Structures are given as C-alpha cells and as structure tokens.
Amino acid sequence: MKGSIVLFGPPGAGKGTQANRIVSLTSKPQVSTGDMLRQAVSSGSELGVAARAFMEAGELVPDDVIIGLINQRLKEEDASSGVLFDGFPRTIAQAEELSKIAQLSVVISIEVPDESIVERIVGRRMDPETGNIYHIKFNPAPESIAHRLIQRKDDNESTVRTRLSAYHEQTSPLASWYESQGLLIKINGNRSIKKVGDDIISELSDK
Ligand code: ADP
Ligand code: ADP
C-alpha cells in the first residue's frame, strides 16, 4: 500500500490498541497526535503548555497547533512511504490540510456505541515504559507490570463526556466526508480485541 492509513473512531474505540498490528503488517510508523501532545505536555514545551488545558478539559486542541505538529512529523524520513494516523484528523479543517500534504489509501473507522465508551475509557491503563494499553477488565496487564501502570488524567467520567460531545460535533462528520471519497472502511469495534484486529488486517490485506 502506497499511501497513508487513518485510524478513525471515538475516544476509546481501540485505535491505539489496534495500531501495533497494523504497524507490523504495513511497516508504516504510527503517528498519534494524542501521544505527541502528551509528550509535549510532560516535557513542558511551549506547545505542551498551550495544549494542556484543552486536553484536561476534554476539548480539542486548536487546529493550527495540530497541523503544525503533523507538518513537522511528516518531514521526517520514516514518513516518506506513508504513516498510520491515529487520532488525526479530528476536524474537517485538519482533514483538508492533510489532503494537501499526504495521500491517503484508506480510512479505517472503528465503530463503538457511546454506551461502551465510558467503561472503556475509565478502565484504561497505560504502561509508561512500553506505551502498551491495558484495561482493568477487558485486557488486564500481566501481574509483573501491574505496579507501574498509570491512568491518564483525562480518563475520567466527566471528561469523557466532553470528549464524546467533541467527537460527535466536530469529528464524526469526517466519516461521511471520507465515505464520499470512497476511502472509508467500517469495522464493528464492539467485539473482542482479537476479532476487531483480525477484521482490520483482512481488510488491509485486500488493498
Ligand atoms: P483509542 O486509542 O481509540 O482511544 P484504546 O486503544 O486506548 O482507544 O482503547 C481504549 C480502552 O479500551 C483501553 O483500555 C483498551 O484496552 C480497551 N479496548 C480496546 N479495544 C477493545 C475491545 N475490542 N474490547 C474491549 N476493550 C477494548
Ligand atoms: P482518545 O483517543 O482517548 O480521545 P487521544 O490520545 O487521541 O485520546 O487524544 C487526547 C486529547 O488530545 C484529546 O482529547 C484532545 O484534547 C487532544 N487531541 C489529540 N489529537 C487531536 C487532534 N487531532 N485534534 C485536536 N485535539 C487532539
């Protein structure tokens, strides 16, 4: 596959969880704007300071900040054969900008109903050493690393509701935008991690 892939879906859909398998299959690097922003926040950079309040409130970070980040990232050498976008684009303005700087092969939309999202987000845990994502109930971490798991500051019930509204208002319109371009593939994300991943891999293998 020549172009880039977009992993699309609401917060907690399983984009980060599925990214590893897609990276192994395609050898395209994962570009997660959420991870990039969290790194900027923890390094205390100017960009991180600007983004932090939006993230903690569950609101989208302004488009110009995100577009600046992506522009810079795509100039790196490993991005020359396309990347796996995770959590980007999230607005029509971001998608329009992206269409000027990268060619997309496919947009994988992982569909999960709102009722499942809150439980997924509140139970999410991350391993800061490997970046691996776990869930207290659906994907428990091995006992040996349980002590070092962290919970994201924005993974609480009130912030997740704001994030879901932002998704419905600003991000979900992108699905029909990409559908009309013939790029969208819908995946039922309300099944086991393995089944969802198998479906994605089989769709991508046909491309
Ligand atoms: P996103 O990157 O889309 O925000 P994540 O991959 O971080 O989503 O997943 C959110 C939470 O839901 C994590 O705790 C993850 O372990 C869990 N999860 C992911 N996929 C599934 C699934 N198919 N079934 C149940 N839980 C899942
Ligand atoms: P999740 O998939 O759980 O919603 P992410 O890690 O993708 O989480 O994003 C965390 C937060 O970072 C978002 O709530 C938002 O504030 C910000 N963010 C990430 N990507 C973008 C983006 N493309 N546009 C605007 N804000 C973003």
Side-chain angles (χ1 to χ4, degrees):
M1 198 182 299
K2 268 169 67 190
S4 290
I5 301 169
V6 171
L7 260 181
F8 182 83
K15 304 182 291 297
T17 299
Q18 299 298 343
N20 288 346
R21 280 182 78 181
I22 305 174
V23 168
S24 304
L25 178 79
T26 64
S27 302
K28 296 181 194 289
Q30 178 186 7
V31 173
S32 158
T33 42
D35 287 346
M36 292 161 85
L37 289 167
R38 278 184 290 280
Q39 268 164 25
V41 168
S42 63
S43 76
S45 68
E46 205 178 318
L47 190 145
V49 172
R52 185 179 184 154
F54 293 100
M55 296 171 78
E56 285 181 4
E59 288 162 13
L60 293 187
V61 172
D63 286 334
D64 55 342
V65 175
I66 302 293
I67 289 163
L69 265 181
I70 289 289
N71 256 314
Q72 231 178 356
R73 179 66 183 86
L74 293 187
K75 288 190 186 125
E76 285 171 41
E77 206 179 313
D78 68 341
S80 60
S81 315
V83 304
L84 173 64
F85 291 109
D86 165 5
F88 171 86
R90 264 172 147 102
T91 63
I92 296 277
Q94 291 177 18
E96 278 173 345
E97 207 51 39
L98 178 61
S99 69
K100 296 182 204 158
I101 54 174
Q103 191 218 324
L104 295 187
S105 294
V106 65
V107 176
I108 304 272
S109 172
I110 307 182
E111 310 204 322
V112 176
D114 283 8
E115 309 86 81
S116 307
I117 296 294
V118 177
E119 189 181 14
R120 281 201 190 182
I121 292 278
V122 172
R124 172 162 56 190
R125 299 291 183 273
M126 305 232 294
D127 179 355
E129 280 182 32
T130 61
N132 287 344
I133 302 163
Y134 297 97
H135 190 281
I136 50 171
K137 183 166 150 196
F138 303 127
N139 187 23
E143 192 66 48
S144 58
I145 64 158
H147 66 279
R148 66 177 192 227
L149 297 185
I150 54 163
Q151 183 170 23
R152 270 167 51 180
K153 205 168 179 182
D154 58 342
D155 277 352
N156 59 72
E157 191 161 346
S158 95
T159 305
V160 75
R161 298 212 183 270
T162 313
R163 284 155 67 192
L164 266 177
S165 316
Y167 173 76
H168 287 298
E169 282 164 31
Q170 294 166 274
T171 307
S172 69
L174 280 176
S176 44
W177 200 73
Y178 281 128
E179 192 161 34
S180 69
Q181 296 172 32
L183 289 172
L184 197 77
I185 293 179
K186 295 181 187 170
I187 301 284
N188 174 2
N190 209 18
R191 296 168 302 152
S192 71
I193 292 174
K194 174 159 192 317
K195 283 206 173 118
V196 174
D198 289 348
D199 248 25
I200 294 175
I201 296 300
S202 97
E203 290 284 356
L204 288 177
S205 309
D206 291 346
K207 290 269 149 195

